[in-house]
Amino acid sequence: MEKMGTVACVFFVILTSVFCPYSLALTLDGVTLLEIKSTLNDTRNVLSNWQELDESPCTWTGITCHLGEQRVREINLPYMYLGGIISPSIGKLSRLQRLALHQNGLHGIIPNEITNCTELRALYLRANYFQGGIPSSIGNLSFLNILDLSSNLLKGAIPSTIGGLSHLQLLNLSTNFFSGEIPDIGVLSTFGNNSFIGNSALCGRQVQKPCRTTLGFPVVLPHTESDEAEGKSSPYTKVVIIGAMSLMGLALIVILSFLWIRLLSKKERAVRKYAEVKKRLDPKTSTKLITFHGDLPYTSSVIIEKLESLDEEDVVGSGGFGTVYRMVMNDCGTFAVKRIDKSREGCDQVFERELEILGSIKHINLVNLRGYCRLPTSRLLIYDYLAMGSLDDLLHENTEQVLTWSDRLKIALGSSRGLAYLHHECCPKIVHRDIKSSNILLDENMEPHISDFGLAKLLVDEDAHVTTVVAGTFGYLAPEYLQSGKANEKSDVYSFGVLLLELITGKRPTDPSFVKRGLNVVGWMNTLLKENRLEVVVDKRCIDADVGSLEVLLDVAARCTDANADDRPSMNQVLQILEQEIMSPCPTHIQIILK
Ligand SMILES: Nc1ncnc2c1ncn2[C@@H]1O[C@H](COP(=O)(O)OP(=O)(O)O)[C@@H](O)[C@H]1O
Ligand SMILES: *[C@@H]1O[C@H](CO)[C@@H](O)[C@H](O)[C@H]1NC(C)=O
Ligand SMILES: *[C@@H]1O[C@H](CO)[C@@H](O)[C@H](O)[C@H]1NC(C)=O
Ligand SMILES: *[C@@H]1O[C@H](CO)[C@@H](O)[C@H](O)[C@H]1NC(C)=O
Ligand SMILES: *[C@@H]1O[C@H](CO)[C@@H](O)[C@H](O)[C@H]1NC(C)=O
Ligand SMILES: *[C@@H]1O[C@H](CO)[C@@H](O)[C@H](O)[C@H]1NC(C)=O
Ligand SMILES: [Mg+2]
């Protein structure tokens, strides 16, 4: 039997290699990427999985492909310590929409061939050593939304064709050596001095510096003195200054991270010390109170009395697993108490053992579980109370207070930090299973705290062989989770991507405006990305949204909601992107050495 299997197998291999000899060849885009790799100096070996023997480049580091196609849509390799030049082969990636190579050590010119990538929507080449000018046919990139060439060694005039790029929303040519008059046409007239900082030889209305009088003499302006001083500094001084600043930055970061690590290990020790569990058993009534980490500075009888007195008036909400109450102690300490539905009863011992693990998890972006109480009639979980309530309420119910864009960025960043902690720092790792806006709770400072982690697993019986129960909430669930009922980190990543879209659009994932078009929020976003219509996705109430961070959030959301779980980033990767692109968009080259 086994032999027959082997024979069949060998036969099959021969058959396939005879009849489809090219089926395993790398796609053309893949070949092009290898050409691009060949002119890069990959000092950290980040491109080691760009291999000739692969069939498709879509799983390579930094590469994202179009949905359902093997064509390259994005190259994302910022902060990768890449040296070398950009090969003119880049022009063959005709479906490329995003090229992010910022914060590397690339030099040489920006190849003119790049303008062959006519779908390009975002071009990030910030903080490299590019020389020469802006490619003259840049006007071909009619979809360009974002052009960030700041902090390079570029020179020459600013092509007037940039003015015709009607989608351009972010232009940054700061700290280069551009010269001449900034053309005052088309979109070029919409950008202010912030787009041109540190190019002392530029003049024009946008930088409030007239070029020349009609007689051809330079106009003397009150503030030209400082400009001239800046103008005198040669590229060499610039390099020295940047070098010195980087060194100082490095020193600072080393010190800070040292302190941070110290603090962490101290905290960890503290947690361990408190890992003893305080119990009070009352055999008569089978009432039991467990507090984790000595986190509840009240006597058991005081707490139990309070818990027993909770009633309708104290209810703050209810969800899939039970009702949530607000419990105010006599000293004004406030807690949230979750009463678990009777129907969810399982084995007490298993439940309590698992709870102890959950109770030991402490992180600024996670809701702290302080205790557990078993009363004769119910089971109660005691959590920190978060004053601002859930993100769901703030986004969709509260009409007085509109979440600002910077609040939303903070929420995106904090939530990714909390979830990354559950996935990558906890042992055993914890899959949340129910990431959604009503499980993101906010404190007075709008810092997000993820709630209900680990609960879904505890309360849904995994061993029930009958139809698998899916714990999560419709609209947030990854396709493979819906299909198989099996949750893992990547299904959480999907839900996190949906959460990001909810933050951006201000709409529920199941909003009728998505469904009407026969789509969910993910399909809707993908359609808009394809049509390069970024601007319509953002919540209209969010007047302070900036296109730079919007583009990054959308990009992360798109990658998180990839239909193929393997192609989604890990939460650690998501966190790293958000930290680099949103928290510190200022050049900090040294940052990831410490990762
Ligand atoms: N720790 C807490 N602090 C403040 N409000 C909370 C807390 N936990 C839950 N809530 C509120 O109670 C509601 C119900 O929570 P829950 O039972 O977890 O259901 P769901 O998460 O499905 O909405 C939440 O939407 C939230 O508004
Ligand atoms: C690549 O970079 C390293 C370090 O920056 C340098 O020593 C080496 O010479 C470079 N190699 C090439 C081929 O440029
Ligand atoms: C430009 O793109 C076309 C296809 O869109 C391709 O045939 C051509 O080779 C590309 N040119 C360069 C210089 O890459
Ligand atoms: C790109 O621009 C150049 C000149 O600016 C023009 O000659 C060329 O035809 C354009 N190519 C495409 C594909 O639009
Ligand atoms: C930049 O422009 C703003 C107004 O558009 C002005 O208030 C500010 O002083 C300018 N900054 C510099 C450095 O010129
Ligand atoms: C452009 O970049 C410079 C330096 O990197 C930064 O100070 C400036 O705020 C940026 N301007 C815009 C419009 O993003
Ligand atoms: Mg909840």
Side-chain angles (χ1 to χ4, degrees):
M1 199 62 201
E2 210 169 274
K3 223 177 198 169
M4 253 172 77
T6 324
V7 170
C9 218
V10 168
F11 184 67
F12 179 75
V13 167
I14 292 172
L15 208 71
T16 45
S17 54
V18 167
F19 289 103
C20 9
Y22 300 112
S23 67
L24 296 178
L26 184 58
T27 63
L28 283 179
D29 274 5
V31 173
T32 303
L33 286 172
L34 289 180
E35 287 167 18
I36 291 169
K37 178 183 174 181
S38 72
T39 64
L40 294 176
N41 187 354
D42 180 15
T43 52
R44 308 256 158 155
N45 254 332
V46 291
L47 307 181
S48 56
N49 69 354
W50 290 30
Q51 291 293 335
E52 220 172 326
L53 293 175
D54 293 340
E55 263 176 88
S56 152
C58 300
T59 56
W60 291 355
T61 303
I63 303 302
T64 308
C65 287
H66 280 272
L67 264 184
E69 290 175 67
Q70 302 289 305
R71 298 300 311 275
V72 173
R73 180 162 68 98
E74 303 185 354
I75 301 180
N76 292 302
L77 294 167
Y79 298 89
M80 290 296 185
Y81 299 90
L82 297 173
I85 63 166
I86 300 184
S87 161
S89 299
I90 193 94
K92 292 191 232 162
L93 299 176
S94 55
R95 301 292 312 279
L96 191 66
Q97 292 189 345
R98 185 180 207 260
L99 180 61
L101 294 173
H102 48 293
Q103 311 277 358
N104 280 294
L106 299 167
H107 65 271
I109 61 161
I110 301 171
N112 208 16
E113 286 78 0
I114 209 167
T115 59
N116 203 17
C117 310
T118 46
E119 288 188 21
L120 209 58
R121 148 175 83 74
L123 181 56
Y124 293 97
L125 299 178
R126 178 183 79 226
N128 280 287
Y129 304 99
F130 288 112
Q131 293 157 332
I134 298 178
S136 51
S137 43
I138 189 132
N140 286 8
L141 300 178
S142 54
F143 284 118
L144 208 59
N145 240 278
I146 292 179
L147 178 60
D148 188 353
L149 304 179
S150 61
S151 300
N152 278 290
L153 309 171
L154 296 164
K155 60 179 200 290
I158 295 174
S160 57
T161 50
I162 291 183
L165 298 174
S166 56
H167 285 93
L168 197 64
Q169 293 191 52
L170 189 152
L171 172 71
N172 203 340
L173 305 178
S174 299
T175 47
N176 278 291
F177 301 94
F178 291 114
S179 56
E181 177 163 14
I182 304 168
D184 201 2
I185 51 172
V187 288
L188 264 174
S189 12
T190 63
F191 297 104
N193 51 13
N194 256 344
S195 297
F196 306 100
I197 304 164
N199 291 280
S200 51
L202 276 182
C203 60
R205 188 191 53 76
Q206 295 91 332
V207 289
Q208 291 114 27
K209 188 171 154 190
C211 288
R212 276 163 195 275
T213 64
T214 42
L215 292 172
F217 295 114
V219 171
V220 182
L221 286 168
H223 63 267
T224 45
E225 231 170 54
S226 60
D227 282 352
E228 249 168 47
E230 228 178 282
K232 268 187 218 130
S233 64
S234 62
Y236 178 68
T237 12
K238 185 186 166 194
V239 169
V240 168
I241 291 171
I242 290 174
M245 277 167 61
S246 321
L247 270 180
M248 276 162 60
L250 178 63
L252 190 72
I253 286 167
V254 167
I255 292 169
L256 281 179
S257 53
F258 178 68
L259 287 176
W260 189 63
I261 288 164
R262 283 285 304 266
L263 203 78
L264 262 190
S265 53
K266 219 168 159 183
K267 234 169 133 186
E268 261 171 32
R269 260 182 273 132
V271 165
R272 264 187 220 120
K273 206 170 80 201
Y274 274 112
E276 53 179 90
V277 170
K278 198 168 92 193
K279 291 183 188 177
R280 194 198 95 143
L281 266 164
D282 186 345
K284 260 183 287 166
T285 59
S286 84
T287 294
K288 179 178 186 179
L289 179 72
I290 303 177
T291 65
F292 305 112
H293 314 292
D295 255 358
L296 280 171
Y298 310 95
T299 64
S300 301
S301 52
V302 165
I303 297 174
I304 290 172
E305 202 174 300
K306 269 279 179 221
L307 288 174
E308 282 171 334
S309 70
L310 291 174
D311 63 22
E312 289 291 300
E313 275 176 30
D314 306 308
V315 171
V316 290
S318 68
F321 301 128
T323 309
V324 178
Y325 300 82
R326 181 162 176 262
M327 175 171 79
V328 185
M329 308 303 286
N330 293 339
D331 66 354
C332 293
T334 308
F335 302 92
V337 174
K338 178 172 262 182
R339 182 192 296 273
I340 293 177
D341 286 348
K342 252 324 203 171
S343 63
R344 301 280 183 184
E345 301 271 313
C347 169
D348 276 338
Q349 272 161 4
V350 175
F351 185 74
E352 283 162 22
R353 202 168 51 236
E354 297 266 338
L355 267 190
E356 259 171 54
I357 297 175
L358 298 184
S360 71
I361 295 170
K362 307 282 145 178
H363 186 274
I364 159 87
N365 296 115
L366 297 175
V367 176
N368 195 3
L369 174 63
R370 289 179 178 253
Y372 161 68
C373 183
R374 191 180 73 203
L375 293 179
T377 52
S378 55
R379 293 165 160 194
L380 304 163
L381 299 174
I382 306 168
Y383 288 100
D384 277 355
Y385 183 80
L386 277 304
M388 297 299 291
S390 76
L391 175 62
D392 187 305
D393 289 343
L394 274 169
L395 271 182
H396 310 301
E397 308 290 342
N398 191 325
T399 44
E400 298 136 45
Q401 189 183 8
V402 172
L403 277 176
T404 65
W405 187 247
S406 60
D407 285 339
R408 294 177 201 222
L409 293 181
K410 188 171 180 176
I411 292 167
L413 197 61
S415 317
S416 71
R417 219 176 257 135
L419 193 52
Y421 185 82
L422 291 175
H423 286 181
H424 301 290
E425 310 288 322
C426 288
C427 189
K429 68 181 188 211
I430 290 177
V431 177
H432 189 295
R433 289 162 187 252
D434 198 10
I435 290 288
K436 57 176 174 178
S437 57
S438 69
N439 277 336
I440 307 292
L441 305 176
L442 301 160
D443 65 20
E444 300 82 352
N445 304 317
M446 287 295 173
E447 188 67 42
H449 302 253
I450 299 179
S451 77
D452 293 348
F453 49 89
L455 260 202
K457 176 164 181 266
L458 259 183
L459 298 177
V460 174
D461 188 5
E462 279 248 273
D463 298 329
H465 309 288
V466 219
T467 43
T468 334
V469 186
V470 170
T473 305
F474 189 71
Y476 293 92
L477 297 179
E480 78 279 0
Y481 183 21
L482 270 173
Q483 235 165 46
S484 71
K486 294 242 184 313
N488 59 24
E489 292 99 312
K490 288 298 174 78
S491 50
D492 274 358
V493 169
Y494 185 97
S495 307
F496 180 78
V498 176
L499 182 81
L500 286 183
L501 293 175
E502 188 174 353
L503 272 172
I504 296 168
T505 60
K507 292 184 182 150
R508 286 212 168 84
T510 48
D511 191 275
S513 66
F514 307 132
V515 181
K516 238 187 281 161
R517 309 181 57 185
L519 303 160
N520 54 14
V521 66
V522 175
W524 179 74
M525 171 204 58
N526 282 321
T527 315
L528 292 175
L529 279 182
K530 209 172 240 161
E531 297 167 6
N532 271 306
R533 286 166 57 216
L534 277 185
E535 56 285 353
V536 305
V537 303
V538 70
D539 191 343
K540 303 254 174 328
R541 298 171 294 174
C542 231
I543 42 175
D544 60 332
D546 77 285
V547 69
S549 50
L550 169 63
E551 203 269 349
V552 171
L553 278 201
L554 270 176
D555 178 61
V556 172
R559 284 194 255 166
C560 288
T561 52
D562 198 305
N564 184 352
D566 294 332
D567 290 345
R568 292 174 206 148
S570 70
M571 273 322 289
N572 264 349
Q573 288 168 324
V574 168
L575 175 61
Q576 188 180 353
I577 299 168
L578 294 182
E579 280 184 340
Q580 283 170 352
E581 309 291 334
I582 288 174
M583 197 171 62
S584 57
C586 35
T588 40
H589 258 282
I590 318 94
Q591 204 176 11
I592 66 168
I593 297 178
L594 299 159
K595 288 252 151 146

